[in-house]
Amino acid sequence: MAALWRSLRLVAPMWNRSTRGIHHLGGAVDPESNQKKRRTMLQYLSDYFYDVEFLRGYFFQNEMVKVHQKNRFRDKEWIRPDKYGHFSQEFWNFSEVPVEAVDASDCAINYEGLENLHLLKELQSLSLQRCPHVDDWCLSRLYPLADSLQELSLAGCPRISERGLGCLYHLQNLRWLDISDLPSVSNPGLTQILVEEMLPNCNVVGVNLAEGLKIGPEEQPRDTDRPVPA
Amino acid sequence: MLPRVLSLGVRRGRFTRRPGTLRGGFSLDWEEKLSEIKKKIQSALPGTSLLPLYDSSHLPPDHADVVIIGGGVLGLSVAYWLKKLEKQRGALRVLVVERDLTYSRASSALSLGGIHQQFSLPENIQLSLFSASFLRNINEHLAVVDAPPLDLQFNPLGYLWLASEKNAAAMENNVKMQRQEGAKVCLMSPDQLRNKFPWINTEGVALASYGMEDEGWFDPWCLLQGLRRKVQSMGVVFCQGEVTRFVSSSSHMMTKNQKEVKLKRIYEVHVKMDNSLEYQPVECSIVINAAGAWSAQVAALAGIGKGPPDTLQGTKLPVEPRKRYVYVWHCPQGPGLESPLVADTSGTYFRREGLGSNYLGGRSPTEEEEPDPGNLEVDHDFFQDKVWPHLAQRVPAFETLKVQNAWAGYYDYNTFDQNGVVGPHPLVVNMFFATGFSGHGLQQAPGVGRAVAEMIVEGRFQTINLDSFLFSRFYLEEKIQEDNII
């Protein structure tokens, strides 16, 4: 399934503005700072959940495109960018269609960019896997999606810690949460248990609770094909 | 060493002449000759550290443009913004004088580290909003070459303020104003509160306000060290010492009503070294009082408050140290990972700490119960009698808990209206205040630092208008009361 997923993902074009970031410093300059504020693109998931296929790019905050919910449509072909990275005009005909799932994996989306998601009132699935700039502050921006969001994936985000996971409490309709491979979480097993207690209706996946546990000397290893870390 | 010790009993006036030199006679006055030679060398070769007869590396420099008294988070924030907003690189020579470099009694280090925007004054809300965005981008602001990035350990879970019947209307008005200023706060009825947080007992609660974004708590020590590191890399000089004297010049002016007013200008600050009688006079042009709980003593040194009462000269700086306790307890069945910092109707507050069911909290004592601020000893009976009953009443799970640890710290408490004092003094024209924040200084430090730096560099507040926080309100009796203090 993951292979199918990957093959259907399209690389969205990047609109590059040469303006300097708002946080332009006079003294020490962080080389990342110019880039990370101005590249926020989102890709769209394919028919893993629904028949709606929709590809969308995001402009900077001043040029937001609003999504109104009117008609859904089915079985359209993928709209691909041409060789210059531009979309054709028919793209804009779909601006009435609600966005139901967003796949922002590996995107450089940040705190300001997540504000754009607030307008997607029917968003049901969000994937923020391996986003390098998504941290605890960003998770506190997800609460407006509480009514509709059912699936969330935060796997592999290097800056998310257990403190930000407490913000997910607002997402009461969440049914599937992936918190695997979060390097900044200090105690993944305990965090998983606390998150499960916090969201009782949600299936929290991703953490191997047996990780780090050793089988005692008198017990027989029951699961011989699973390697036990020493 | 020797000339400094010799100079102790001797008045360091500039224009005195020693007997014996009056008619050009020979005098064995080594010290006078030394200072003449020093002045000549200094004018010929500015910037040299002269005559290394004794080691003076622990002393502050001879001159500084701005002397900041107090190296806590407010003092460091002012230093940072001064260096950031100065017109030319290296234009301002800033010296930070801190009495205790271990920060053992500093309010910044002992703070709970909370930040929220649920205030009743628009200026406080704006300061807090700016500080939140500063903290969010702290690694852009305080980046130092080759140093690791800062991890503030920010916990974005927000503040939950509970209001009883009599405060409910005020809370609703405040929330409306907070929303206008841009804070994301939502109001909840007792039923909604029970749905959201089933572990709360909503008896006596009429309304609750919950901050959804930009509110939470963080590690104040990390902010302090980050500021210190950055500020040192920008060229601010740090010195360990205590300010013991201000030398000022005064000029007499007439007001419109033909009343005489004496305006003072501090031109020298005497910084005394620890455990020694040695002191260094630092020539300066601006002094910033960011001494926290001890600001009133520093202000008194400058003559603020020495005069007949009910006059501007006689208005003291109404900031005094108030001791506050913080207790850490363990409660296995307590509120879960999602619990915000809850501030109860009785003034009790608590928050969760870490993954292990530990909680931090306390309560501000009433005026009658104020503990003696002479030391930082913890009174455990205060928890038993005054804090635990309220905790257990509000969160029934806290009926069984075990206190693990406790500490005490000072609030730089403004007895007038519990809000900060920012800006110059009307009579001592080059002393600026950045103190008196009564428990919310840490969360407003970046904003206040910027405001003071703007005042010094530009002459007026540019981004956030803190005119209502000036010292003159104490004389004019204009209170700007802040209600939401814990």
Side-chain angles (χ1 to χ4, degrees):
Chain A
M1 196 60 230
L4 177 63
W5 192 311
R6 247 173 267 141
S7 67
L8 289 172
R9 258 171 51 181
L10 302 180
V11 177
M14 307 282 229
W15 273 270
N16 190 9
R17 290 280 163 117
S18 59
T19 55
R20 297 277 229 136
I22 297 168
H23 302 286
H24 169 53
L25 295 178
V29 172
D30 187 7
E32 262 192 70
S33 68
N34 287 333
Q35 296 166 8
K36 83 176 180 186
K37 294 274 182 258
R38 289 291 167 256
R39 312 244 170 129
T40 65
M41 302 310 301
L42 293 174
Q43 302 173 31
Y44 194 79
L45 253 192
S46 70
D47 58 0
Y48 181 72
F49 307 109
Y50 314 100
D51 294 333
V52 176
E53 295 168 347
F54 195 79
L55 188 70
R56 193 187 165 112
Y58 273 96
F59 292 89
F60 302 112
Q61 296 167 27
N62 297 334
E63 299 174 5
M64 265 303 306
V65 177
K66 288 207 186 290
V67 175
H68 298 289
Q69 291 144 25
K70 285 212 184 142
N71 311 311
R72 293 197 177 192
F73 69 108
R74 296 167 179 259
D75 298 324
K76 273 288 200 178
E77 289 180 7
W78 280 108
I79 303 173
R80 297 169 193 281
D82 60 14
K83 64 172 177 164
Y84 296 109
H86 298 301
F87 289 93
S88 68
Q89 280 305 109
E90 354 172 314
F91 179 70
W92 297 111
N93 299 341
F94 300 140
S95 62
E96 304 288 309
V97 179
V99 178
E100 285 184 345
V102 167
D103 179 7
S105 309
D106 300 301
C107 263
I109 189 170
N110 65 359
Y111 181 83
E112 273 80 11
L114 277 176
E115 194 178 350
N116 296 332
L117 290 181
H118 290 181
L119 296 168
L120 304 176
K121 291 294 171 213
E122 277 198 23
L123 193 68
Q124 287 172 9
S125 159
L126 178 60
S127 168
L128 293 171
Q129 295 184 17
R130 295 177 302 279
C131 294
H133 302 301
V134 166
D135 59 2
D136 297 330
W137 293 86
C138 298
L139 290 184
S140 73
R141 274 213 146 168
L142 291 180
Y143 66 90
L145 305 170
D147 295 326
S148 56
L149 198 69
Q150 289 175 10
E151 289 161 12
L152 177 62
S153 170
L154 300 171
C157 292
R159 295 202 188 177
I160 292 186
S161 73
E162 67 272 14
R163 298 175 283 274
L165 293 178
C167 295
L168 300 179
Y169 180 64
H170 298 291
L171 307 172
Q172 281 298 325
N173 284 325
L174 209 60
R175 299 286 168 260
W176 185 80
L177 173 64
D178 182 2
I179 50 170
S180 54
D181 195 28
L182 293 174
S184 294
V185 167
S186 52
N187 193 336
L190 185 53
T191 310
Q192 157 121 356
I193 293 174
L194 288 172
V195 172
E196 278 174 5
E197 273 179 27
M198 183 173 83
L199 294 169
N201 298 328
C202 181
N203 175 20
V204 181
V205 304
V207 178
N208 176 12
L209 286 175
E211 186 182 320
L213 298 178
K214 281 196 287 200
I215 292 193
E218 10 358 301
E219 288 176 14
Q220 297 296 320
R222 275 173 219 136
D223 201 357
T224 46
D225 43 39
R226 181 190 293 258
V228 174
Chain B
M1 189 70 203
L2 206 54
R4 289 281 170 240
V5 171
L6 281 180
S7 72
L8 277 180
V10 176
R11 187 163 67 96
R12 282 186 66 83
R14 289 174 196 253
F15 306 109
T16 53
R17 299 196 66 183
R18 300 257 172 269
T21 60
L22 205 54
R23 277 176 291 126
F26 176 73
S27 84
L28 276 174
D29 210 336
W30 178 234
E31 207 232 295
E32 190 76 16
K33 284 220 177 62
L34 202 62
S35 52
E36 297 280 325
I37 297 173
K38 255 173 119 173
K39 281 199 180 66
K40 283 196 184 132
I41 298 184
Q42 213 159 28
S43 57
L45 303 164
T48 49
S49 64
L50 327 145
L51 293 176
L53 290 178
Y54 52 90
D55 177 21
S56 63
S57 53
H58 57 291
L59 292 175
D62 282 331
H63 337 259
D65 293 314
V66 181
V67 174
I68 300 180
I69 305 174
V73 71
L74 270 174
L76 291 179
S77 173
V78 174
Y80 168 76
W81 283 104
L82 272 174
K83 281 312 227 177
K84 188 111 188 286
L85 297 176
E86 62 185 357
K87 299 292 187 184
Q88 268 185 331
R89 199 173 184 145
L92 283 178
R93 190 160 182 192
V94 181
L95 169 71
V96 174
V97 179
E98 167 58 45
R99 182 165 61 174
D100 175 12
L101 283 175
T102 62
Y103 295 98
S104 57
R105 297 195 299 163
S107 311
S108 315
L110 296 167
S111 163
L112 261 195
I115 176 168
H116 68 99
Q117 283 91 43
Q118 298 179 44
F119 292 104
S120 52
L121 268 185
E123 289 94 345
N124 277 339
I125 302 174
Q126 288 167 20
L127 282 172
S128 230
L129 276 172
F130 173 71
S131 301
S133 76
F134 183 88
L135 294 174
R136 191 166 53 238
N137 300 311
I138 194 168
N139 281 313
E140 285 186 29
H141 290 285
L142 303 186
V144 174
V145 174
D146 283 344
L150 291 169
D151 178 18
L152 274 184
Q153 315 233 329
F154 180 70
N155 202 320
L157 293 176
Y159 269 58
L160 177 71
W161 288 80
L162 305 176
S164 56
E165 272 297 334
K166 62 183 176 78
N167 300 337
M171 174 179 269
E172 212 176 314
N173 286 338
N174 287 343
V175 169
K176 211 164 84 168
M177 199 232 330
Q178 287 152 20
R179 286 216 190 109
Q180 269 176 336
E181 295 289 336
K184 311 273 193 310
V185 184
C186 80
L187 277 173
M188 295 206 284
S189 67
D191 290 321
Q192 288 171 323
L193 194 60
R194 256 193 301 271
N195 275 342
K196 189 91 181 168
F197 302 114
W199 36 263
I200 284 191
N201 166 20
T202 53
E203 182 191 327
V205 175
L207 198 57
S209 74
Y210 186 26
M212 309 291 284
E213 276 191 51
D214 280 345
E215 294 196 359
W217 54 92
F218 61 95
D219 177 18
W221 182 250
C222 176
L223 176 63
L224 203 61
Q225 294 307 311
L227 273 172
R228 204 163 129 169
R229 198 178 67 177
K230 176 67 177 175
V231 143
Q232 276 177 321
S233 82
M234 286 165 131
V236 168
V237 179
F238 259 83
C239 152
Q240 189 270 319
E242 184 179 348
V243 170
T244 46
R245 192 171 160 212
F246 290 121
V247 181
S248 44
S249 62
S250 49
S251 59
H252 294 258
M253 318 272 283
M254 298 283 261
T255 63
K256 266 197 318 204
N257 309 331
Q258 303 305 318
K259 264 182 34 182
E260 207 185 69
V261 164
K262 188 168 101 157
L263 294 175
K264 275 183 16 170
R265 203 175 181 95
I266 300 174
Y267 67 81
E268 208 171 70
V269 177
H270 286 194
V271 178
K272 180 180 97 74
M273 296 297 115
D274 206 25
N275 293 329
S276 140
L277 288 175
E278 194 183 1
Y279 73 93
Q280 163 79 318
V282 179
E283 275 185 313
C284 62
S285 74
I286 290 178
V287 173
I288 299 185
N289 184 352
W294 302 276
S295 313
Q297 295 166 11
V298 172
L301 283 177
I304 294 174
K306 292 209 175 87
D310 289 332
T311 57
L312 192 49
Q313 296 90 316
T315 317
K316 296 194 191 348
L317 180 69
V319 173
E320 60 181 44
R322 290 275 176 102
K323 190 157 86 162
R324 295 286 179 264
Y325 303 113
V326 176
Y327 302 94
V328 184
W329 64 88
H330 174 78
C331 175
Q333 302 301 325
L337 199 60
E338 74 283 357
S339 67
L341 197 153
V342 180
D344 186 31
T345 48
S346 57
T348 323
Y349 61 92
F350 72 89
R351 65 161 171 90
R352 203 189 154 107
E353 171 69 27
L355 291 174
S357 292
N358 291 317
Y359 300 86
L360 287 179
R363 179 166 177 244
S364 287
T366 56
E367 288 288 340
E368 301 81 42
E369 304 166 334
E370 279 290 345
D372 169 33
N375 57 29
L376 282 180
E377 299 291 323
V378 178
D379 179 9
H380 291 278
D381 294 328
F382 184 75
F383 183 78
Q384 290 283 125
D385 304 327
K386 301 282 174 12
V387 184
W388 197 355
H390 296 284
L391 282 176
Q393 199 252 334
R394 189 53 67 207
V395 180
F398 282 155
E399 274 162 21
T400 52
L401 57 81
K402 187 161 162 33
V403 176
Q404 310 276 13
N405 199 359
W407 70 83
Y410 290 121
Y411 274 15
D412 47 346
Y413 195 80
N414 181 346
T415 48
F416 187 71
D417 56 13
Q418 285 89 64
N419 257 320
V421 191
V422 178
H425 188 274
L427 293 180
V428 182
V429 292
N430 62 347
M431 172 174 267
F432 289 75
F433 294 103
T435 180
F437 282 90
S438 317
H440 50 275
L442 178 72
Q443 59 187 282
Q444 295 181 333
V448 169
R450 188 175 61 164
V452 173
E454 282 169 358
M455 192 64 163
I456 292 175
V457 173
E458 306 283 344
R460 57 187 182 82
F461 296 122
Q462 280 188 318
T463 42
I464 302 179
N465 188 355
L466 295 182
D467 279 336
S468 45
F469 282 45
L470 289 172
F471 184 94
S472 34
R473 76 182 193 268
F474 303 135
Y475 172 61
L476 299 170
E477 308 269 339
E478 288 167 0
K479 281 196 189 194
I480 39 163
Q481 191 74 26
E482 176 57 58
D483 303 319
N484 292 349
I485 305 267
I486 39 173

